Amino acid sequence: MDKLRGELIDIIEWLDDSRDTMVWRFPRYQNEIKMGAKLVVRESQTAVFVNEGKIADVFPPGTYTLETRNLPILSTLKGWKYGFNSPFKAEVYFVNTRQFTDMKWGTQNPVILRDAEFGVVRVRAFGAFAARVVDASRLLRELVGTDPQFRTEEVQEYLRQLMVGRLGGALATAGVPLLDLAAHQDAIGRRLAAVLTEELAEVGIAIPKFVIENVSVPPEVEQALDKRTSMGAVGDLDRYTRFQAANAMEAAANNPGGEAGAGIGLGMGMAMGQQMARTMGGGAATQPAPAQPAPAQPAAAEPPPLPDQAQWYVGVGGQRQGPYDLSGLAEQANAGALAADTLVWRAGMAQWQPAGQVPELAPVLASVPPPLPPQ
């Protein structure tokens, strides 16, 4: 059946139903192609005739009749100029010359760079690129060989390794700080595309587009960048401190009895005191120190002041009365307003207590005379 089909089919063409085939060999029984067959080469294709392992003729897009005038090299090899019309043996390879854009690249290991601001930094990068065949003859000689169907996956890993190997040099020679890499990714990508195209010229492949999607740094460097960004957003630290102190004082005023308000007020007071000391420090450094006062003359010996007496409150008839000192309590006791069961309180006591249970008031209650006997 293959032999019969080879004798009847006179059209040689390739309709690509895939998106990743770069080279496809036209199947023909025993590679016999009849004289006068039609060759159809579509746009984004190139047809290459291989005779006995050697490239004989290359056809760009168009429709051709395989005869002596269209095959000058192959005709010389096969002796067609003498009028031979029998089938000749040759291989026809269709080469896809469109751009292959679904190709990815990325760094498996970090690339070490020297940055003027951060020192030695390890970066990772990934992106995409487009590849195109620009010289079908070189591609067949260097990469395809006799492969009947050459796909992008067979060359993608080689291209990825080549790109990663050139990425470090491109980033190092770009002279761009780490923080400005995002703004120069397009320029670096164009430079890498030109370098890779020049290097891949020997295999007939060009890199028309090289895209750097992202350049990332280790987590510790990202944390340092986040802190620096936060500091930049704050701006003037002195003004920010005063603003925070004002907010904290306002919050403490709204909650005067809370421990948090007291702690915040204390902390803000210390911060404001330090700020005032720093503000006044510059002026104080330029002014002469005040003269030391003369030592004071010893004063005449005087007795120390009497200690403060405790102030007591008395609960009478559900009303709080006072404050009283001990002498005042004695007067209340003599007047009958203070008894052993009367509730009293002073600073330091947890709650109101009967006067008879307070040891300090025992002398006061003892000074009260007993009631008169009945007449």
Side-chain angles (χ1 to χ4, degrees), residues 12-23:
I12 303 174
E13 61 180 353
W14 176 40
L15 298 176
D16 185 15
D17 57 356
S18 69
R19 299 296 299 171
D20 60 349
T21 303
M22 301 182 72
V23 179

Side-chain angles (χ1 to χ4, degrees), residues 208-261:
K209 189 68 174 179
F210 187 89
V211 179
I212 301 176
E213 295 184 18
N214 183 52
V215 178
S216 60
V217 295
E220 56 271 15
V221 180
E222 290 183 354
Q223 295 176 3
L225 291 176
D226 292 340
K227 291 181 180 179
R228 177 172 297 187
T229 303
S230 300
M231 294 176 61
V234 168
D236 189 346
L237 292 180
D238 291 338
R239 296 180 60 184
Y240 180 75
T241 302
R242 292 195 293 270
F243 175 74
Q244 291 292 89
N247 290 338
M249 293 175 64
E250 181 181 357
N254 293 332
N255 187 19
E259 297 181 357

Side-chain angles (χ1 to χ4, degrees), residues 76-134:
T76 303
L77 295 175
K78 289 299 182 180
W80 281 4
K81 61 181 180 180
Y82 301 105
F84 295 165
N85 294 322
S86 62
F88 60 91
K89 292 182 178 292
E91 300 172 355
V92 180
Y93 288 87
F94 285 91
V95 180
N96 200 335
T97 59
R98 70 172 181 86
Q99 288 192 32
F100 294 90
T101 57
D102 54 347
M103 307 183 75
K104 306 292 184 180
W105 67 272
T107 56
Q108 294 181 352
N109 298 316
V111 179
I112 300 178
L113 301 177
R114 184 183 300 275
D115 187 74
E117 188 171 0
F118 295 95
V120 178
V121 183
R122 295 179 292 110
V123 300
R124 295 178 182 270
F126 64 88
F129 67 96
R132 167 183 285 174
V133 179
V134 293

Side-chain angles (χ1 to χ4, degrees), residues 197-210:
T197 298
E198 183 178 357
E199 186 162 351
L200 291 171
E202 61 183 10
V203 296
I205 297 177
I207 306 297
K209 189 68 174 179
F210 187 89

Side-chain angles (χ1 to χ4, degrees), residues 118-176:
F118 295 95
V120 178
V121 183
R122 295 179 292 110
V123 300
R124 295 178 182 270
F126 64 88
F129 67 96
R132 167 183 285 174
V133 179
V134 293
D135 193 328
S137 301
R138 290 188 177 184
L139 181 66
L140 288 176
R141 294 191 187 99
E142 302 295 336
L143 294 180
V144 178
T146 59
D147 191 347
Q149 189 171 12
F150 187 78
R151 297 180 177 272
T152 56
E153 62 184 13
E154 301 180 49
V155 72
Q156 186 169 359
E157 181 62 21
Y158 166 71
L159 296 178
R160 190 197 66 81
Q161 294 177 357
L162 185 63
M163 293 172 183
V164 173
R166 298 293 179 270
L167 179 65
L171 294 178
T173 57
V176 178

